[in-house]
Amino acid sequence: RAWQRRGEMVLLEAGTAVTVNGLKARPDLNGKTAKIVAYVHERERYHLTMDDGEQEELYLKPSNVELSGRDEPVADAQASGAPVETPAAPTEEPTAAAPPEPTVPALMDPGTVVEVSGLKARPDLNGKHGTVVAYAADRQRYHVNIIGTEEETYLRPANITIVTKPAPAPAPEPAPVPEEGAAERDAILREASNGVAAAASAPTPPIEELKDDETLLKEFFADVSDASRNAEVERILACFKLNPYEHLNVRFDAGEETIKRAFRKVSLLVHPDKCKHPSAKAAFDAIGQAQTLLGKEEVKRELDFNLTRAKESVIKAWRKETRNDVVLRVRYNGDRDAQLADFLESDEFQERWKLEGRKNIVDLEWRRRKLTLRIAAEEERVEKEEKEEAAERKKQSKAQKNWDEEKAREGRVGGWRDFTSKKKAKRQKVAGEFKAPTLKKETRAKEEEYHGLDKNGNRVLRPDEVTKAW
């Protein structure tokens, strides 16, 4: 039989052909046929593979699945009550369409400590230890929690090796049991291998290998709901505007690689092409601006300086508060360094650091803006004074020019007036006045005038006269 009743539940075996109906979000799939891979207990849904050429995988409620050739939908599994068990595959004539399942004896037990190796996409995980949670048959990978970081990832069997526990000895051959007991045992083992799948509301943990950006987007967007995207947009828009670290949701001492990974993760969540929130574009621009600011060395150095001051202030206040705390002293045996290390890793420290950092950044920004206003006011005052001085000089120059022109005109006019008004006074004759005779200048001969007289008063002879005399 392709189906089997247990109480009020109807469970379909792997490989059963079914018809999809009653979908509202994907009405294009109604009426199409698919094959069942397994029943996922955490989601209370069937894992299906469509029969079309794309081989699309879906998780559907039992009410949306009906057996091919039947009009009766499969009843929904009970939300609470008796545990749901996946029926055992028939021992005789297995279904040809059922997908191959991993060999159960080769699976590692939950809780096994393993060492990670051979990763190319995440080389930082190579050499670290992790704990096996379960084997995800749909991904053909182990669900592993990395020890120390609490990071969850899915790894291939070739990338993990057991390090702390020896390989389990082969179990002894079980005694022959009836066919019904063997079916129950196989069902339990099958449930252990296929029972752990990705939760319906949890984001998909990072996969060991990603081929390209298109694959990354497909895997990431598969399990992220619109509510998560909208919440991320609201968080970004409510962040402190002057601290880019808060937009990317990273620690204030994060490195360059951490900032890049955080930007890629957040940008995938709030990208306007994927997020339907009306403010998605504003949030996307905000995280882009935050990454740009952190990429500028000058801005990042100034921001880190302020955040370092805030961190030192928080640590100083914490030391003062816990100086006389007897409980902490007893818990850490007086080791203040251990107390400080645990405090630096706590959420309380991160919150106090964030608030103190905001205070320092706001204070610095207020001082910077106040200084900018003062400089602008001073420049305006100097410019105004220069204009006033220039206007005064121009006024004085114009007045001086007018004065000079007026003075020159007055001088010319006054001189002409004096010249025209000046009259020669007539000399009045006085009766009986003696008039002296006019003396004429004595004229001498040219040569006499030229050579003159000697000391005795005799005329000096000319040279030609002396020659003639001799």
Side-chain angles (χ1 to χ4, degrees), residues 36 239 295 301 312 315 367 386 399 429 450:
I36 292 180
C239 283
R301 182 169 60 249
E312 293 173 354
I315 294 176
R367 292 174 180 272
E386 289 179 353
K429 294 182 179 182
Y450 178 78

Side-chain angles (χ1 to χ4, degrees), residues 18 24 30-31 68 89 95 105 148 179 224 227 267 273 283 310 380 399 458:
V18 295
K24 296 181 180 179
N30 293 332
S68 297
T95 306
E179 186 66 23
V224 178
S267 63
D273 294 341
E380 184 179 358
N458 300 321

Side-chain angles (χ1 to χ4, degrees), residues 39-40 42 50 114 121 145 178 250 334 388 395 434-435 466:
Y39 181 78
V40 182
E42 289 77 6
M50 302 302 297
V114 296
N145 283 340
V250 294
E388 291 178 353
K395 181 179 179 181
F434 173 76
K435 184 178 181 181
V466 174

